[in-house]
Amino acid sequence: MTTAPAAIRLASVSKVYGSGPGAVTALDEVSLGLGRGRFTAIMGRSGSGKSTLLRCAAGSDRPTSGTVWLGDTDLSGLTQPALTRIRLRHIGFLFEADDLLPALTVEQNIALPLAERTVDRTWLRHVAAAVGLADRLGHRPSQLSGGARRRVAIARALITRPAAIVADEPAGALDTRTGRQVLQLLREIVDRTGQTVVMATHDPMSASYADRVVFLADGRLAGSLDEPCPLAIAERMTHLGAW
Ligand code: ADP
Ligand code: MG
């Protein structure tokens, strides 16, 4: 168990899609604290509820029941505009899909989440340097490799100094080597800056970059591993009958 205070906490969170006989329970009474300054992986096979958990944790989807806390804020008590504001300010998103805007420069893409807020140029340059893009700020996404584009997305997730980065299969669409570099970069960001990261993955090697792996099976928590190695993660998945 983590002893660090939770950046995000889920308390008995359930999510049901649809109603009647066709209803799907994607999350079933999930209670989980995502430790501040820690790298947590949510691991489970396809359809186990990982993306739903991340969306509920990030405030981009509302649970059917249960409560999500972002720090001291109970997200279930918020109106939709307030929830959206909190999400944009305090959560950094990193998705599998490459969703950079092609017409904008690297710098403009990184600054996007700031919207109308003033860009702190020192911080932007610091973030760009941290992901190895200091000399690429004027480039367009089409001039970059897949790995470099993913690093732009990481910088964009960091630019608001979020309470947590929420990453859904961040290495999923990349070749193995580039995927490892992205995971290593997330690891370094956590170690160097104390950033909180939560990542969904179905790959034991990816999950082994985390401090803690939490297993999901059919929308339910199915245990966790601290300081996990890929073999132990794969073994646990096999025991869960998840493969
Ligand atoms: P994972 O990310 O682990 O693959 P998901 O959270 O995407 O799992 O999905 C969990 C379950 O919820 C699956 O059975 C999926 O089909 C269902 N589900 C996810 N999103 C929706 C949706 N918007 N409408 C209906 N069912 C959904
Ligand atoms: Mg998913």
Side-chain angles (χ1 to χ4, degrees), residues 9-225:
R9 196 157 55 81
L10 285 74
S12 297
V13 166
S14 293
K15 179 71 184 182
V16 180
Y17 292 109
S19 58
V24 174
T25 302
L27 290 179
D28 193 359
E29 298 277 331
V30 170
S31 294
L32 176 65
L34 301 170
R36 194 164 287 160
R38 305 249 291 169
F39 189 172
T40 305
I42 310 294
M43 173 95 189
R45 70 181 165 126
S46 179
S48 57
K50 303 182 297 296
S51 295
T52 304
L53 189 155
L54 290 192
R55 284 198 300 272
C56 288
S60 54
D61 203 350
R62 285 184 190 267
T64 308
S65 61
T67 311
V68 177
W69 297 85
L70 178 61
D72 296 331
T73 306
D74 172 359
L75 299 185
S76 50
L78 299 178
T79 62
Q80 197 56 43
L83 182 60
T84 302
R85 202 162 50 240
I86 287 225
R87 173 163 56 84
L88 293 177
R89 286 226 165 192
H90 299 294
I91 303 288
F93 289 97
L94 196 57
F95 294 110
E96 183 177 353
D98 185 348
D99 59 350
L100 303 181
L101 297 184
L104 301 185
T105 63
V106 166
E107 175 168 350
Q108 289 165 333
N109 268 286
I110 293 173
L112 265 183
L114 295 170
E116 75 285 359
R117 278 179 282 160
T118 322
V119 177
D120 174 346
R121 296 200 49 81
T122 308
W123 176 244
L124 189 139
R125 274 196 293 270
H126 176 79
V127 164
V131 301
L133 290 169
D135 54 354
R136 314 298 292 273
L137 286 174
H139 286 70
R140 310 270 165 194
S142 60
Q143 296 171 282
L144 304 178
S145 67
R149 283 203 295 272
R150 189 54 51 91
R151 285 185 278 125
V152 177
I154 293 173
R156 188 184 52 187
L158 282 165
I159 196 68
T160 59
R161 299 178 167 92
I165 289 187
V166 173
D168 200 350
E169 309 263 3
L174 301 173
D175 65 74
T176 309
R177 192 168 142 268
T178 313
R180 298 275 148 83
Q181 287 169 355
V182 165
L183 294 163
Q184 186 57 40
L185 178 56
L186 287 173
R187 177 72 259 170
E188 285 168 18
I189 287 166
V190 172
D191 290 341
R192 285 205 201 131
T193 69
Q195 176 67 56
T196 303
V197 174
V198 54
M199 162 182 84
T201 181
H202 61 271
D203 169 41
M205 183 58 84
S206 299
S208 71
Y209 283 81
D211 298 303
R212 182 178 185 221
V213 180
V214 174
F215 295 89
L216 261 189
D218 293 329
R220 291 196 194 93
L221 284 190
S224 66
L225 281 175

